[in-house]
């Protein structure tokens, strides 16, 4: 049986939860460097996007996606290859889904304004790239901006944050918290259509939680592009059959959604990750809880998104400058820089287990640190 709840802290003492020694150390830690101090050590050219270079990455991804579709056509239609089609399709689904995810990352640059110096081009390319993979560009851009501005603040962040005991969880948050292993491919569509922090819909221009009045025309544009892509897929289904569209678009689409949920979770969750309430949070302290991850050869092809700490601090840095900027800030940040070189799959299971067992916290918690589960604790000793 569970023991009695811990006594309340003395008056004026911080309210801690989770890994208590690490939470106490975080509460007593010296102030982190300011954003200006960190920015000063990054070469100025790292903040300058190149339209030509960004478009070269779009061309690269388009060529790979086109090549994979050409291979899929060959295995489905060329006599000598047809007999291998059943063996080819799983590899096609995995790699094409991964390339859809790479396209998402380029659209993500558009949303941060790091694709080019021209807002109109960023908006056009963002709609082109994101609509192709069923992401409403401006809707996602606005909610993602909220995430960046509030990372590490459990009262205001958008995704994978702990809930307080008195805060009702959205249905999506409950499903993801309890069944993330099984809903990885569905987590992102669920987030877009029903929200996480609270019920919301990225396709609804009138959503009061996500959008302001001035943003609603932008949301209508992005929703129209989303529905246009859905209509295009419907036309393909009428012409070639629903199975054709499922096989060559929606299976890769759900693989990409799984990549997106997996990467987002890993970049913000592991035993030891700190969460603060608004009173004890600031932008730098919260974003320093992001985690750099190592994806091996995948890293180049999904545009260095694993270099996540410096990206979260300075989202205007183009992806092709992240490694240089990261190398510049690491000596200054020292132990404040979070990086995990653990195996991605193993780390996901360890991190998810720790998060699932601790993501509801007492009201008025000042500092929460995700505690290790027993297996994770042994690995960390």
């Amino acid at each position: 049986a569970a023991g009695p709840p811990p006594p309340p802290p003395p008056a004026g003492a911080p309210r801690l939860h989770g890994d208590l020694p690490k939470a106490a150390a975080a509460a007593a830690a010296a102030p982190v460097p300011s954003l200006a101090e960190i920015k000063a050590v990054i070469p100025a050219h790292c903040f300058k996007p190149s339209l030509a270079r960004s478009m070269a990455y779009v061309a690269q991804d388009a060529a790979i996606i086109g090549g994979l579709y050409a291979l899929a056509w060959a295995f489905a239609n060329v006599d000598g290859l047809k007999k291998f089609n059943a063996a080819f399709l799983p590899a096609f689904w995995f790699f094409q889904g991964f390339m859809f995810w790479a396209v998402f990352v380029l659209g993500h640059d558009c949303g941060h304004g790091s694709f080019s110096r021209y807002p109109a081009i960023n908006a056009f390319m963002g709609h082109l790239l994101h609509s192709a993979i069923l992401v409403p560009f401006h809707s996602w851009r606005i909610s993602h901006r909220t995430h960046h501005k509030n990372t590490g603040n459990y009262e205001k962040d958008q995704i994978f944050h702990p809930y307080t005991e008195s805060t009702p969880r959205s249905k999506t948050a409950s499903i993801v918290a309890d069944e993330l292993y099984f809903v990885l491919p569905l987590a992102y569509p669920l987030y877009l259509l029903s929200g996480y922090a609270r019920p919301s819909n990225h396709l609804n221009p009138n959503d009061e939680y996500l959008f302001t009045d001035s943003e609603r025309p932008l949301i209508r544009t992005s929703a129209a592009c989303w529905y246009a892509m859905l209509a295009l897929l419907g036309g393909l289904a009428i012409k070639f059959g629903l199975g054709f569209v499922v096989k060559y678009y929606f299976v890769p689409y759900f693989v990409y959604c799984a990549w997106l949920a997996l990467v987002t979770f890993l970049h913000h969750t592991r035993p030891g990750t700190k969460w603060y309430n608004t009173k004890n949070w600031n932008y730098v302290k919260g974003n320093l809880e992001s985690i750099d991850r190592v994806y091996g050869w995948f890293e180049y092809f999904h545009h260095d998104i694993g270099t996540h700490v410096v990206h979260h601090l300075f989202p205007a840095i183009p992806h092709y400058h992240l490694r240089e900027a990261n190398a510049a800030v690491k000596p200054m940040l020292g132990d404040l820089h979070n990086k995990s070189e653990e195996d991605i799959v193993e780390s996901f299971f360890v991190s998810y287990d720790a998060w699932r067992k601790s993501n509801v916290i007492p009201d008025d918690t000042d500092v929460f640190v995700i505690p290790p589960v027993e297996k994770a604790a042994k690995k960390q000793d």
Side-chain angles (χ1 to χ4, degrees), residues 22-44:
K22 289 186 177 180
V32 297
S34 70
L35 194 64
E37 289 170 334
I38 301 172
K39 185 177 182 179
V41 304
I42 301 174

Side-chain angles (χ1 to χ4, degrees), residues 234-256:
L236 291 173
I238 291 170
K239 183 173 179 60
F240 298 106
L242 180 61
F244 176 89
V245 175
V246 169
K247 183 188 297 184
Y248 294 112
Y249 182 85
F250 278 107
V251 176
Y253 167 82
F254 284 114
V255 171
Y256 129 69

Side-chain angles (χ1 to χ4, degrees), residues 69-89:
Y69 275 127
L71 278 174
W73 180 91
F75 275 91
N77 294 282
V78 175
D79 288 339
L81 296 175
K82 285 181 180 179
K83 61 184 177 182
F84 301 111
N85 194 36
F88 167 77
L89 278 173

Side-chain angles (χ1 to χ4, degrees), residues 13 21 40 51 55 87 114 120 125 135 143 147 173 180 242 262 291 354 372 375:
L51 176 58
M55 289 301 297
S114 60
M125 291 303 301
V135 176
S143 65
H147 161 60
L180 185 62
L242 180 61
L262 173 72
I291 305 161
K375 287 190 300 182

Side-chain angles (χ1 to χ4, degrees), residues 33-206:
S34 70
L35 194 64
E37 289 170 334
I38 301 172
K39 185 177 182 179
V41 304
I42 301 174
H45 70 265
C46 288
F47 294 90
K48 297 177 181 177
S50 163
L51 176 58
R53 194 167 179 182
S54 295
M55 289 301 297
Y57 283 105
V58 173
Q60 169 189 284
D61 286 5
I64 296 172
I65 289 170
L68 287 168
Y69 275 127
L71 278 174
W73 180 91
F75 275 91
N77 294 282
V78 175
D79 288 339
L81 296 175
K82 285 181 180 179
K83 61 184 177 182
F84 301 111
N85 194 36
F88 167 77
L89 278 173
F92 166 77
W93 291 330
F94 176 82
F95 287 107
Q96 195 70 298
F98 176 78
M99 290 311 302
F100 282 14
W101 157 237
V103 167
F104 175 89
V105 177
L106 292 180
H108 164 269
D109 273 13
C110 295
H112 283 303
S114 60
F115 188 88
S116 80
R117 295 185 292 113
Y118 311 104
I121 291 177
N122 293 336
F124 175 80
M125 291 303 301
H127 279 96
L128 182 67
L129 295 166
H130 272 185
S131 298
I133 51 173
L134 290 177
V135 176
F137 172 69
H138 280 309
S139 311
W140 164 84
R141 176 184 63 80
I142 290 165
S143 65
H144 188 66
R145 178 186 64 197
T146 302
H147 161 60
H148 267 260
K149 287 184 174 180
N150 297 285
T151 298
N153 182 336
Y154 70 78
E155 295 176 316
K156 295 184 178 181
D157 202 351
Q158 287 280 313
I159 194 72
F160 296 136
H161 56 78
Y163 275 76
T164 62
E165 292 170 343
S166 66
T167 303
R169 292 195 298 185
S170 71
K171 184 177 294 184
T172 302
S174 298
I175 293 172
V176 171
D178 295 334
E179 306 290 347
L180 185 62
Y181 296 152
F182 304 104
V183 301
L184 271 177
L186 298 175
Y188 189 60
L190 284 170
Y191 167 70
L192 288 178
L193 298 176
S194 59
Y196 182 86
R198 64 182 69 179
S200 55
N201 186 338
H202 284 72
L203 293 173
N204 179 9
N206 298 315

